[in-house]
Amino acid sequence: MADIILGIESSCDDTSAAVIADGVLLSNVIASQQVHKDFGGVVPELASRAHEQNIVPVVSQALDKAGVKPEDLTAIAFTRGPGLLGSLLVGTSFAKALSLSLDIPMIMVNHLQGHILANFIRQKDIPVREPSFPYLCLLVSGGNSQIVKVSSPLEYEILGQTIDDAVGEAFDKCSKMLGLGYPGGPIIDRLAKQGNPDRFTFAKPNIPGLDYSFSGVKTSLLYFVRDEMAKDPDFMEKNKEDICASFQKTLIDVLMQKLIKAAKQTGIKEITIGGGVSANSGLRERIVQEGEKRHWNTYLPEFKFTTDNAAMIAVSGWFQYKAGVRTPLDVAPVSRMADF
Ligand code: KG4
């Protein structure tokens, strides 16, 4: 009998459910919430309400698409945190109710662990390249910027992390500053493709070790735009492609500098990326280029698995299930999770 795991993800503004059988993806349904568009960011209260509306249809659809009945399920994996508490409560409570009614175990998953294991999502008839252990993961999202050493699916060590803003936040805040919209990452990525990355320079942080800082780059952009706009009110509009390209290049330079250092220090040449910012085309290109130069084996998750999805939660849960990990029913979601 195959292990059939239902994954549930509700940490932010995507309600997602996925089904995997012995690690192979059968379905992955994502309902992205549009309600936040007019607010320039995710509104937690609205996110929770939308999850509450979406969760039953999304799970039903995932089961239907997979051709799986609830009673076929072996276990339920759900995101416990980090994320928005109200959003996490919806997924966690749903997982508990289903686990009780079907009398099957549930397994809590750290959302970040899901991103880190995204390269292990196996799809039918699609060959998959999986990193071997230990590997380094550059985990970059709206809430995190970390370099993580992954020694096994259940063993993680954070080698470095941001001391202030996450890189995704830097993308989003830059976009807001330039009046380009939310979420900023994909917009800047698109405009950067048409711009000159070497036209402008922004201050880079000088932080010891493997930690990151992105607040200075952001401030440097703020002052630059303010000063230029004082000279020419149309400066932004006329130069937005070059500003985006140059800003994006600065962020990528900062990310890569520490990743290269971490690879040198650990001697690890298996390199992956994960999290929303791993969708960035400039970062993806650069990591492949650096990898070729430095004889790394690089692994990029498919675009559809870079942003929040339940497939990565189901896979993480499956690894834990096989290792005998089970979560008691009195578990509560947490907005922050320091450790994996
Ligand atoms: O992992 P994620 O979906 O959510 C969490 O933060 O957990 O990441 C969202 C972040 C946002 O900051 C968004 O702007 C960024 O990922 N992002 C991108 C791109 N697509 C999404 N950043 C740069 N380039 C992209 N193409």
PDB file of all heavy atoms in Angstrom, residues 116-117 120 130-135 149-156 268 270 319:
ATOM      1  N   ILE A 116      12.706  24.456   1.448  1.00  0.00           N
ATOM      2  CA  ILE A 116      14.047  23.862   1.350  1.00  0.00           C
ATOM      3  C   ILE A 116      14.014  22.498   0.662  1.00  0.00           C
ATOM      4  O   ILE A 116      14.976  22.085   0.026  1.00  0.00           O
ATOM      5  CB  ILE A 116      14.652  23.747   2.776  1.00  0.00           C
ATOM      6  CG1 ILE A 116      15.003  25.147   3.297  1.00  0.00           C
ATOM      7  CG2 ILE A 116      15.867  22.842   2.808  1.00  0.00           C
ATOM      8  CD1 ILE A 116      15.438  25.173   4.734  1.00  0.00           C
ATOM      9  N   LEU A 117      12.879  21.798   0.785  1.00  0.00           N
ATOM     10  CA  LEU A 117      12.763  20.453   0.196  1.00  0.00           C
ATOM     11  C   LEU A 117      12.013  20.463  -1.137  1.00  0.00           C
ATOM     12  O   LEU A 117      11.664  19.402  -1.665  1.00  0.00           O
ATOM     13  CB  LEU A 117      12.073  19.507   1.188  1.00  0.00           C
ATOM     14  CG  LEU A 117      12.848  19.240   2.497  1.00  0.00           C
ATOM     15  CD1 LEU A 117      12.006  18.408   3.458  1.00  0.00           C
ATOM     16  CD2 LEU A 117      14.174  18.526   2.236  1.00  0.00           C
ATOM     17  N   PHE A 120      12.531  18.091  -4.014  1.00  0.00           N
ATOM     18  CA  PHE A 120      12.218  16.663  -3.877  1.00  0.00           C
ATOM     19  C   PHE A 120      10.780  16.344  -4.283  1.00  0.00           C
ATOM     20  O   PHE A 120      10.310  15.234  -4.058  1.00  0.00           O
ATOM     21  CB  PHE A 120      12.467  16.208  -2.433  1.00  0.00           C
ATOM     22  CG  PHE A 120      13.928  16.192  -2.082  1.00  0.00           C
ATOM     23  CD1 PHE A 120      14.530  17.316  -1.522  1.00  0.00           C
ATOM     24  CD2 PHE A 120      14.708  15.083  -2.340  1.00  0.00           C
ATOM     25  CE1 PHE A 120      15.885  17.315  -1.207  1.00  0.00           C
ATOM     26  CE2 PHE A 120      16.061  15.075  -2.036  1.00  0.00           C
ATOM     27  CZ  PHE A 120      16.653  16.196  -1.475  1.00  0.00           C
ATOM     28  N   GLU A 130      17.541  15.500  -7.903  1.00  0.00           N
ATOM     29  CA  GLU A 130      17.468  15.808  -6.471  1.00  0.00           C
ATOM     30  C   GLU A 130      18.873  16.031  -5.932  1.00  0.00           C
ATOM     31  O   GLU A 130      19.786  15.265  -6.255  1.00  0.00           O
ATOM     32  CB  GLU A 130      16.809  14.648  -5.725  1.00  0.00           C
ATOM     33  CG  GLU A 130      15.349  14.480  -6.115  1.00  0.00           C
ATOM     34  CD  GLU A 130      14.700  13.254  -5.474  1.00  0.00           C
ATOM     35  OE1 GLU A 130      15.391  12.490  -4.771  1.00  0.00           O
ATOM     36  OE2 GLU A 130      13.494  13.069  -5.706  1.00  0.00           O
ATOM     37  N   PRO A 131      19.064  17.039  -5.102  1.00  0.00           N
ATOM     38  CA  PRO A 131      20.401  17.250  -4.529  1.00  0.00           C
ATOM     39  C   PRO A 131      20.751  16.115  -3.579  1.00  0.00           C
ATOM     40  O   PRO A 131      19.865  15.502  -2.991  1.00  0.00           O
ATOM     41  CB  PRO A 131      20.244  18.563  -3.754  1.00  0.00           C
ATOM     42  CG  PRO A 131      18.789  18.715  -3.492  1.00  0.00           C
ATOM     43  CD  PRO A 131      18.075  18.009  -4.602  1.00  0.00           C
ATOM     44  N   SER A 132      22.045  15.838  -3.460  1.00  0.00           N
ATOM     45  CA  SER A 132      22.412  14.855  -2.436  1.00  0.00           C
ATOM     46  C   SER A 132      22.837  15.596  -1.170  1.00  0.00           C
ATOM     47  O   SER A 132      23.232  16.763  -1.213  1.00  0.00           O
ATOM     48  CB  SER A 132      23.490  13.900  -2.942  1.00  0.00           C
ATOM     49  OG  SER A 132      24.422  14.579  -3.720  1.00  0.00           O
ATOM     50  N   PHE A 133      22.767  14.893  -0.061  1.00  0.00           N
ATOM     51  CA  PHE A 133      23.063  15.495   1.241  1.00  0.00           C
ATOM     52  C   PHE A 133      24.542  15.383   1.548  1.00  0.00           C
ATOM     53  O   PHE A 133      25.140  14.371   1.168  1.00  0.00           O
ATOM     54  CB  PHE A 133      22.245  14.791   2.340  1.00  0.00           C
ATOM     55  CG  PHE A 133      20.766  14.924   2.133  1.00  0.00           C
ATOM     56  CD1 PHE A 133      20.034  13.890   1.555  1.00  0.00           C
ATOM     57  CD2 PHE A 133      20.103  16.090   2.501  1.00  0.00           C
ATOM     58  CE1 PHE A 133      18.659  14.014   1.354  1.00  0.00           C
ATOM     59  CE2 PHE A 133      18.725  16.216   2.314  1.00  0.00           C
ATOM     60  CZ  PHE A 133      18.007  15.180   1.735  1.00  0.00           C
ATOM     61  N   PRO A 134      25.164  16.347   2.218  1.00  0.00           N
ATOM     62  CA  PRO A 134      24.574  17.614   2.631  1.00  0.00           C
ATOM     63  C   PRO A 134      24.545  18.591   1.466  1.00  0.00           C
ATOM     64  O   PRO A 134      25.402  18.546   0.595  1.00  0.00           O
ATOM     65  CB  PRO A 134      25.543  18.104   3.716  1.00  0.00           C
ATOM     66  CG  PRO A 134      26.869  17.537   3.320  1.00  0.00           C
ATOM     67  CD  PRO A 134      26.572  16.229   2.650  1.00  0.00           C
ATOM     68  N   TYR A 135      23.558  19.486   1.477  1.00  0.00           N
ATOM     69  CA  TYR A 135      23.545  20.558   0.483  1.00  0.00           C
ATOM     70  C   TYR A 135      23.257  21.889   1.155  1.00  0.00           C
ATOM     71  O   TYR A 135      22.825  21.926   2.312  1.00  0.00           O
ATOM     72  CB  TYR A 135      22.544  20.263  -0.642  1.00  0.00           C
ATOM     73  CG  TYR A 135      21.070  20.228  -0.286  1.00  0.00           C
ATOM     74  CD1 TYR A 135      20.313  21.393  -0.245  1.00  0.00           C
ATOM     75  CD2 TYR A 135      20.418  19.021  -0.031  1.00  0.00           C
ATOM     76  CE1 TYR A 135      18.946  21.349   0.048  1.00  0.00           C
ATOM     77  CE2 TYR A 135      19.057  18.974   0.253  1.00  0.00           C
ATOM     78  CZ  TYR A 135      18.321  20.146   0.290  1.00  0.00           C
ATOM     79  OH  TYR A 135      16.983  20.110   0.580  1.00  0.00           O
ATOM     80  N   LYS A 149      22.294  24.792   5.862  1.00  0.00           N
ATOM     81  CA  LYS A 149      22.966  23.528   5.528  1.00  0.00           C
ATOM     82  C   LYS A 149      21.980  22.401   5.831  1.00  0.00           C
ATOM     83  O   LYS A 149      21.459  22.313   6.955  1.00  0.00           O
ATOM     84  CB  LYS A 149      24.234  23.370   6.371  1.00  0.00           C
ATOM     85  CG  LYS A 149      24.971  22.087   6.114  1.00  0.00           C
ATOM     86  CD  LYS A 149      26.200  21.990   7.007  1.00  0.00           C
ATOM     87  CE  LYS A 149      26.750  20.581   6.982  1.00  0.00           C
ATOM     88  NZ  LYS A 149      27.808  20.398   7.979  1.00  0.00           N
ATOM     89  N   VAL A 150      21.709  21.593   4.832  1.00  0.00           N
ATOM     90  CA  VAL A 150      20.717  20.521   4.989  1.00  0.00           C
ATOM     91  C   VAL A 150      21.463  19.192   4.968  1.00  0.00           C
ATOM     92  O   VAL A 150      22.001  18.783   3.933  1.00  0.00           O
ATOM     93  CB  VAL A 150      19.669  20.574   3.844  1.00  0.00           C
ATOM     94  CG1 VAL A 150      18.537  19.602   4.102  1.00  0.00           C
ATOM     95  CG2 VAL A 150      19.121  21.984   3.677  1.00  0.00           C
ATOM     96  N   SER A 151      21.529  18.526   6.111  1.00  0.00           N
ATOM     97  CA  SER A 151      22.305  17.285   6.195  1.00  0.00           C
ATOM     98  C   SER A 151      21.468  16.059   5.900  1.00  0.00           C
ATOM     99  O   SER A 151      21.995  15.003   5.541  1.00  0.00           O
ATOM    100  CB  SER A 151      22.920  17.146   7.587  1.00  0.00           C
ATOM    101  OG  SER A 151      23.773  18.236   7.813  1.00  0.00           O
ATOM    102  N   SER A 152      20.152  16.179   6.097  1.00  0.00           N
ATOM    103  CA  SER A 152      19.202  15.115   5.746  1.00  0.00           C
ATOM    104  C   SER A 152      17.838  15.803   5.699  1.00  0.00           C
ATOM    105  O   SER A 152      17.725  16.961   6.087  1.00  0.00           O
ATOM    106  CB  SER A 152      19.206  14.007   6.813  1.00  0.00           C
ATOM    107  OG  SER A 152      18.412  14.396   7.914  1.00  0.00           O
ATOM    108  N   PRO A 153      16.780  15.112   5.236  1.00  0.00           N
ATOM    109  CA  PRO A 153      15.478  15.795   5.176  1.00  0.00           C
ATOM    110  C   PRO A 153      15.018  16.332   6.545  1.00  0.00           C
ATOM    111  O   PRO A 153      14.151  17.191   6.615  1.00  0.00           O
ATOM    112  CB  PRO A 153      14.530  14.701   4.690  1.00  0.00           C
ATOM    113  CG  PRO A 153      15.390  13.746   3.959  1.00  0.00           C
ATOM    114  CD  PRO A 153      16.720  13.757   4.650  1.00  0.00           C
ATOM    115  N   LEU A 154      15.616  15.828   7.620  1.00  0.00           N
ATOM    116  CA  LEU A 154      15.177  16.272   8.952  1.00  0.00           C
ATOM    117  C   LEU A 154      16.258  17.037   9.719  1.00  0.00           C
ATOM    118  O   LEU A 154      16.060  17.384  10.872  1.00  0.00           O
ATOM    119  CB  LEU A 154      14.729  15.069   9.799  1.00  0.00           C
ATOM    120  CG  LEU A 154      13.661  14.148   9.214  1.00  0.00           C
ATOM    121  CD1 LEU A 154      13.213  13.118  10.241  1.00  0.00           C
ATOM    122  CD2 LEU A 154      12.451  14.931   8.730  1.00  0.00           C
ATOM    123  N   GLU A 155      17.398  17.279   9.095  1.00  0.00           N
ATOM    124  CA  GLU A 155      18.498  17.950   9.828  1.00  0.00           C
ATOM    125  C   GLU A 155      18.932  19.237   9.128  1.00  0.00           C
ATOM    126  O   GLU A 155      19.415  19.175   7.986  1.00  0.00           O
ATOM    127  CB  GLU A 155      19.720  17.035   9.889  1.00  0.00           C
ATOM    128  CG  GLU A 155      19.623  15.911  10.870  1.00  0.00           C
ATOM    129  CD  GLU A 155      20.833  14.995  10.701  1.00  0.00           C
ATOM    130  OE1 GLU A 155      20.791  14.150   9.773  1.00  0.00           O
ATOM    131  OE2 GLU A 155      21.821  15.170  11.441  1.00  0.00           O
ATOM    132  N   TYR A 156      18.772  20.346   9.820  1.00  0.00           N
ATOM    133  CA  TYR A 156      19.046  21.658   9.242  1.00  0.00           C
ATOM    134  C   TYR A 156      19.934  22.470  10.166  1.00  0.00           C
ATOM    135  O   TYR A 156      19.803  22.394  11.385  1.00  0.00           O
ATOM    136  CB  TYR A 156      17.741  22.447   9.057  1.00  0.00           C
ATOM    137  CG  TYR A 156      16.726  21.714   8.225  1.00  0.00           C
ATOM    138  CD1 TYR A 156      15.855  20.804   8.812  1.00  0.00           C
ATOM    139  CD2 TYR A 156      16.658  21.915   6.856  1.00  0.00           C
ATOM    140  CE1 TYR A 156      14.944  20.108   8.049  1.00  0.00           C
ATOM    141  CE2 TYR A 156      15.743  21.226   6.091  1.00  0.00           C
ATOM    142  CZ  TYR A 156      14.890  20.318   6.693  1.00  0.00           C
ATOM    143  OH  TYR A 156      13.992  19.636   5.931  1.00  0.00           O
ATOM    144  N   ILE A 268      30.915  22.444   0.511  1.00  0.00           N
ATOM    145  CA  ILE A 268      29.734  21.805  -0.100  1.00  0.00           C
ATOM    146  C   ILE A 268      29.499  22.392  -1.493  1.00  0.00           C
ATOM    147  O   ILE A 268      29.501  23.615  -1.673  1.00  0.00           O
ATOM    148  CB  ILE A 268      28.487  22.007   0.803  1.00  0.00           C
ATOM    149  CG1 ILE A 268      28.682  21.261   2.128  1.00  0.00           C
ATOM    150  CG2 ILE A 268      27.214  21.520   0.096  1.00  0.00           C
ATOM    151  CD1 ILE A 268      27.600  21.500   3.160  1.00  0.00           C
ATOM    152  N   GLU A 270      26.855  21.097  -3.515  1.00  0.00           N
ATOM    153  CA  GLU A 270      25.451  20.840  -3.878  1.00  0.00           C
ATOM    154  C   GLU A 270      24.677  22.075  -3.427  1.00  0.00           C
ATOM    155  O   GLU A 270      24.589  22.356  -2.213  1.00  0.00           O
ATOM    156  CB  GLU A 270      24.908  19.610  -3.145  1.00  0.00           C
ATOM    157  CG  GLU A 270      25.581  18.308  -3.506  1.00  0.00           C
ATOM    158  CD  GLU A 270      25.134  17.783  -4.862  1.00  0.00           C
ATOM    159  OE1 GLU A 270      23.967  17.479  -5.025  1.00  0.00           O
ATOM    160  OE2 GLU A 270      25.995  17.699  -5.764  1.00  0.00           O
ATOM    161  N   PHE A 319       8.515  12.803   4.400  1.00  0.00           N
ATOM    162  CA  PHE A 319       9.836  12.463   4.965  1.00  0.00           C
ATOM    163  C   PHE A 319       9.703  12.210   6.473  1.00  0.00           C
ATOM    164  O   PHE A 319      10.285  11.273   7.023  1.00  0.00           O
ATOM    165  CB  PHE A 319      10.843  13.596   4.739  1.00  0.00           C
ATOM    166  CG  PHE A 319      11.460  13.593   3.367  1.00  0.00           C
ATOM    167  CD1 PHE A 319      11.352  14.698   2.537  1.00  0.00           C
ATOM    168  CD2 PHE A 319      12.183  12.504   2.917  1.00  0.00           C
ATOM    169  CE1 PHE A 319      11.935  14.712   1.278  1.00  0.00           C
ATOM    170  CE2 PHE A 319      12.776  12.500   1.648  1.00  0.00           C
ATOM    171  CZ  PHE A 319      12.646  13.616   0.828  1.00  0.00           C
TER     172      PHE A 319
END
